[in-house]
Amino acid sequence: MPIHPGLPRTPTVERLDARLVGPGSAAVVEAAELAALEIETGLDQNALILACLEWARRWARAPLSSFEVGAAALGESGRLYLGANIEFRGLPLSQTIHAEQSAIAHAWAHEETGLRLIATSAAPCGFCRQFMFELPEPRPQLLLASEADHPPTPIESLLPSAFGPTQLGRAPQLLRSGPHGLQLVEPVEHSEHAELTALALAAANRSSAPYTGARSGVALETVGGQRFVGAVAESVAYNPTLAPMQAALISAHHGGRGGRGGQGGRGSDMLGSIVRAVLVEVEGSPLSQLDGARQILASVAPAATCSVALARAVVVA
Ligand code: THU
Ligand code: ZN
């Protein structure tokens, strides 16, 4: 892997360059590492976040377009979550995951409850502008690589006359949703998937479905025994909604194998190493995520299984 072209060879740059190698490695830059980069390079934080997009693009999976997009979301904790676009061979283009969604869902999986800034290597499409507009206030500022000399832009200014959550009488709740008090309808203590189901239930309990109430979460397990989760993130405009399987695939693709360095990189197929998934959704919901989840899982891991467990909200008297 060549050294990052846009940065001087400082110790932290070299360390990150060796670590941020793509799928199989964790797509996160720690707050302390960002601070060290500032001191070592003399660049300001925004310039460094834009430079980090070069690393983010190492996670791009674009077998259809070959167009690799990198994004980075700066959490309130000061950690920087990288994300890239993920395309699915054989599936409709509408299943594509955009880099911005990857970075946001990746931050969400790490329980960030607010984002300060989102940077992108390509101008965000209308769909992503809508998705970012639905983040809780104060919304993150947007930093575009194509306008590196400009200060960060408020998302509101990129989406005039927006169709926002208030149009349907809701407040933005992505990243801050739950817990919803969901419990499994049929306890699975003795099932071989009990732990995975518990993780999927926890994800459903943090999911954001203010428009339909169809809360849902997915937990995945890889052949190496690693587990990743994701939850539905509904959009007020419906179509930009991030499905729970997509969110979980984002976590797996960007999450790294953990502990065992040197195993990541472009050839490392985290998604292909998924062996099973559990979807938890609410009984009696007006929609189901199951068919969509199975379809997209089958496209990356044909032998993987996806089971479903139903949940209901338990009202505490
Ligand atoms: N893409 C993004 O990741 N973000 C955007 O907002 C623009 C488009 C990706 C989607 C697809 O994988 C490729 O770029 C071509 O559109
Ligand atoms: Zn987009």
Side-chain angles (χ1 to χ4, degrees):
M1 192 69 65
I3 188 89
H4 191 299
L7 290 173
R9 279 188 105 101
T10 71
T12 307
V13 170
E14 294 209 8
R15 191 150 39 82
L16 289 173
D17 202 61
R19 194 184 80 212
L20 302 170
V21 292
S25 62
V28 177
V29 180
E30 301 296 339
E33 292 174 325
L34 273 181
L37 285 175
E38 275 191 71
I39 293 165
E40 291 173 17
T41 66
L43 295 168
D44 67 24
Q45 195 181 58
N46 288 349
L48 286 167
I49 290 173
L50 285 175
C52 287
L53 297 175
E54 185 74 28
W55 285 316
R57 289 174 69 231
R58 292 178 179 174
W59 274 264
R61 175 176 166 129
L64 306 177
S65 70
S66 302
F67 187 71
E68 299 181 339
V69 186
L74 182 65
E76 267 168 9
S77 68
R79 287 181 111 203
L80 187 69
Y81 300 88
L82 309 180
N85 56 328
I86 306 175
E87 298 174 356
F88 300 95
R89 198 187 285 284
L91 293 189
L93 293 184
S94 56
Q95 301 280 20
T96 307
I97 296 168
H98 289 207
E100 295 83 340
Q101 287 181 310
S102 283
I104 294 166
H106 188 198
W108 191 26
H110 284 267
E111 308 198 3
E112 291 285 344
T113 52
L115 300 176
R116 290 192 221 154
L117 190 90
I118 296 177
T120 62
S121 70
C125 73
F127 176 114
C128 287
R129 292 177 197 211
Q130 175 70 34
F131 197 79
M132 294 187 286
F133 184 77
E134 296 186 47
L135 288 164
E137 294 178 75
R139 297 185 183 97
Q141 301 264 307
L142 213 68
L143 203 55
L144 306 183
S146 56
E147 297 177 8
D149 304 335
H150 294 221
T153 318
I155 290 168
E156 295 83 347
S157 72
L158 292 174
L159 205 64
S161 313
F163 184 76
T166 50
Q167 246 91 7
L168 291 192
R170 308 290 201 285
Q173 54 160 258
L174 185 56
L175 309 177
R176 302 218 181 125
S177 194
H180 305 301
L182 296 178
Q183 289 187 8
L184 296 174
V185 172
E186 311 248 348
V188 289
E189 283 101 49
H190 304 298
S191 138
E192 55 176 328
H193 304 326
E195 287 178 27
L196 207 56
T197 307
L199 288 173
L201 176 66
N205 265 315
R206 296 178 58 230
S207 68
S208 179
Y211 307 106
T212 67
R215 294 171 178 134
S216 59
V218 163
L220 303 171
E221 193 169 280
T222 66
V223 70
Q226 266 202 285
R227 290 164 178 173
F228 299 96
V229 295
V232 69
E234 283 188 354
S235 161
V236 64
Y238 282 26
N239 297 74
T241 295
L242 186 67
M245 181 59 81
Q246 258 106 336
L249 294 180
I250 290 169
S251 297
H253 187 68
H254 297 85
R257 284 187 216 285
R260 289 178 276 154
Q263 292 195 5
R266 283 291 165 111
S268 179
D269 185 8
M270 288 300 283
L271 303 186
S273 74
I274 296 166
V275 287
R276 69 183 63 85
V278 174
L279 165 72
V280 167
E281 55 187 0
V282 174
E283 68 172 356
S285 289
L287 59 91
S288 171
Q289 298 287 352
L290 186 59
D291 287 352
R294 285 185 170 150
Q295 184 195 44
I296 198 160
L297 181 63
S299 83
V300 294
T305 57
C306 179
S307 55
V308 62
L310 296 177
R312 67 165 75 104
V314 175
V315 183
V316 183

